[in-house]
Amino acid sequence: MSDPFKQAAGIRKVLTAGEDAEGRLDAWITANLGEEFSRSRIKALIKDGQLTVNGQPVIDPQKKVRAGDQIEVLLPEPEDPTPKGEDIPLDVLFEDSDVIVISKPSGLVVHPAAGNWTGTLVNALIHHCGDSLSGIGGVRRPGIVHRLDKDTTGVMVVAKNDIAHRHLSLQFADHGRTMPLERAYQAVVWGRPRSLAGTIDAPLGRAVGDRTRRAVKRQEDNNADEAITHYQVLERFHESPDATALASLVECRLETGRTHQIRVHMAHIGHPLLGDITYGAGYKTKANLLPDSARKIVSGFGRQALHAFMLQFEHPTSGDIMHFEASMPEDMQELVSALRR
């Protein structure tokens, strides 16, 4: 009989179904193959003809497993990524065979997309550690489990293999409620929130008429995702006797991680981020209240004043609690110094 795999390159795994074997083929293989491959990946391999049962090719993931079945699956070598590696400098805080933690600079897009097919963090990571990527979903690429906006700076973790990708994805989906994930940001906002500490619980969804923007929605809206931000005022700038302030430095901790969450939430309570032309353009004239030297720096600040200074997570294989912090970038330090003056 000819080889049903057509001599394709890869790793062959042979499994034998025991007396208690039952259920769908894709589910059984995933449970018995270990954590290296996800069920969706196994399902795709079956449909692609990379599996035989008792020597016969099978392409139906829902086929039932029977006791004594000899199941052979071909696990192809990871394919090269579509994005190409580019020699873009990275500030690496930590790296091992499972994860890489970096401090992202302003202006760096995380993932290739329309308008930014090159020059992204993914391109940089493929160049930096492409040889150590073992393949995520069958492709030798970095596993992005969370994102920072192009002009937001700070700590990010990226997975280097399927096991790490799934483990980190679970932590970010859990939002730190039952797992040790923590995320904290520093932001400079206009004004001073009424309370020095508080929680913003306001669902978010796509803005009407503009798919790139997010907006606060009603709880019952089908387009609404739960979004919760905890904030604390750290410092007030140009405070008046009546306890108002021109601007404030706040720390925000995410209980959920929605697109533009901090930017939309702070604007929602009347305190948008300095430099945020998407959600706070109407506040830009407040800089005119500052002395000349400070006004020039504040008016010229060309991005939202947001920095992801802290990230904590559980290492996907060792179980160690990993804690990382990144200092406020120079442009935000200069902004804060100007406001203090």
Side-chain angles (χ1 to χ4, degrees), residues 14 16 51 58-59 105 115 134 149 157 184 227 232 246-247 253 260 275 278 287 308 316 321-323 337:
V14 180
T16 301
L51 180 138
V58 173
I59 59 173
S134 66
D149 295 337
V157 59
Q232 179 180 357
L246 183 67
R253 290 183 178 253
H260 299 177
T278 301
I321 304 303
M322 313 291 287
H323 184 97
S337 295

Side-chain angles (χ1 to χ4, degrees), residues 232-253:
Q232 179 180 357
V233 177
L234 302 178
E235 189 174 354
R236 299 177 293 278
F237 306 113
H238 295 271
E239 190 171 23
S240 303
D242 61 357
T244 61
L246 183 67
S248 302
L249 174 65
V250 300
E251 178 180 308
C252 296
R253 290 183 178 253

Side-chain angles (χ1 to χ4, degrees), residues 148 151-155 183-189 229-235 248-254 262-263 266 273-274 301 303-310 325-330 332-333 335-336 340:
L148 295 177
D151 291 326
T152 297
T153 57
V155 187
R183 286 173 288 175
Y185 294 70
Q186 294 163 329
V188 183
V189 304
T229 302
H230 306 283
Y231 71 86
Q232 179 180 357
V233 177
L234 302 178
E235 189 174 354
S248 302
L249 174 65
V250 300
E251 178 180 308
C252 296
R253 290 183 178 253
L254 297 181
I262 292 174
R263 298 166 62 189
M266 295 310 297
L273 275 60
L274 270 70
F301 194 77
R303 67 178 182 93
Q304 65 268 8
L306 185 62
H307 174 61
F309 79 91
M310 189 275 286
E325 294 191 13
S327 300
M328 185 182 289
E330 289 185 9
M332 274 187 67
Q333 290 185 38
L335 177 69
V336 169
R340 284 174 179 154

Side-chain angles (χ1 to χ4, degrees), residues 30-332:
T30 303
N32 286 272
L33 199 57
E35 294 186 342
E36 186 177 356
F37 285 82
S38 64
R39 182 170 173 178
S40 60
R41 178 61 178 149
I42 294 299
K43 184 176 181 179
L45 289 174
I46 295 172
K47 289 185 173 181
D48 196 38
Q50 306 299 328
L51 180 138
T52 66
V53 177
N54 301 323
Q56 298 299 316
V58 173
I59 59 173
D60 181 9
Q62 300 185 48
K63 177 180 172 62
K64 300 299 181 182
V65 177
R66 297 180 179 180
D69 279 347
Q70 285 286 118
I71 301 167
E72 186 174 0
V73 58
L74 178 69
L75 307 177
E77 294 291 341
E79 300 172 3
D80 288 333
T82 298
K84 301 303 180 183
E86 297 178 39
D87 189 4
I88 300 170
L90 289 174
D91 183 1
V92 179
L93 305 180
F94 173 83
E95 182 177 7
D96 64 10
S97 59
D98 295 303
V99 300
I100 180 170
V101 181
I102 62 106
S103 180
K104 190 186 88 66
S106 173
L108 183 64
V109 175
V110 171
H111 203 278
N116 294 284
W117 292 115
T118 61
T120 72
L121 175 60
V122 167
N123 297 110
L125 289 169
I126 290 172
H127 174 84
H128 173 81
C129 58
D131 292 340
S132 62
L133 300 176
S134 66
I136 295 174
V139 178
R140 198 184 302 278
R141 62 181 172 85
I144 304 299
V145 293
H146 69 128
R147 288 176 170 81
L148 295 177
D149 295 337
K150 175 183 177 181
D151 291 326
T152 297
T153 57
V155 187
M156 284 189 64
V157 59
V158 179
K160 297 175 71 174
N161 55 57
D162 252 328
I163 295 175
H165 187 253
R166 290 204 302 278
H167 196 287
L168 289 172
S169 294
L170 287 174
Q171 292 186 61
F172 278 90
D174 178 72
H175 302 303
R177 287 166 175 156
T178 63
M179 296 180 176
L181 179 77
E182 288 188 25
R183 286 173 288 175
Y185 294 70
Q186 294 163 329
V188 183
V189 304
W190 288 113
R192 194 205 78 174
R194 182 176 303 174
S195 300
L196 293 181
T199 297
I200 307 168
D201 186 349
L204 299 179
R206 292 187 185 277
V208 177
D210 188 347
R211 294 179 61 84
T212 65
R213 289 169 55 96
R214 296 299 184 271
V216 170
K217 301 287 184 177
R218 295 181 178 179
Q219 293 280 359
E220 61 273 16
D221 195 319
N222 292 331
N223 186 34
D225 293 316
E226 180 185 33
I228 301 173
T229 302
H230 306 283
Y231 71 86
Q232 179 180 357
V233 177
L234 302 178
E235 189 174 354
R236 299 177 293 278
F237 306 113
H238 295 271
E239 190 171 23
S240 303
D242 61 357
T244 61
L246 183 67
S248 302
L249 174 65
V250 300
E251 178 180 308
C252 296
R253 290 183 178 253
L254 297 181
E255 189 171 321
T256 59
R258 309 302 178 191
T259 301
H260 299 177
Q261 179 173 315
I262 292 174
R263 298 166 62 189
V264 179
H265 271 176
M266 295 310 297
H268 177 63
I269 64 171
H271 303 285
L273 275 60
L274 270 70
D276 193 340
I277 61 173
T278 301
Y279 301 106
Y283 285 72
K284 192 172 183 179
T285 56
K286 281 184 173 289
N288 294 331
L289 301 174
L290 291 165
D292 289 345
S293 58
R295 181 173 65 247
K296 182 177 180 180
I297 293 174
V298 172
S299 298
F301 194 77
R303 67 178 182 93
Q304 65 268 8
L306 185 62
H307 174 61
F309 79 91
M310 189 275 286
L311 175 65
Q312 176 179 291
F313 60 91
E314 180 181 279
H315 192 278
T317 57
S318 71
D320 294 338
I321 304 303
M322 313 291 287
H323 184 97
F324 299 94
E325 294 191 13
S327 300
M328 185 182 289
E330 289 185 9
D331 63 342
M332 274 187 67

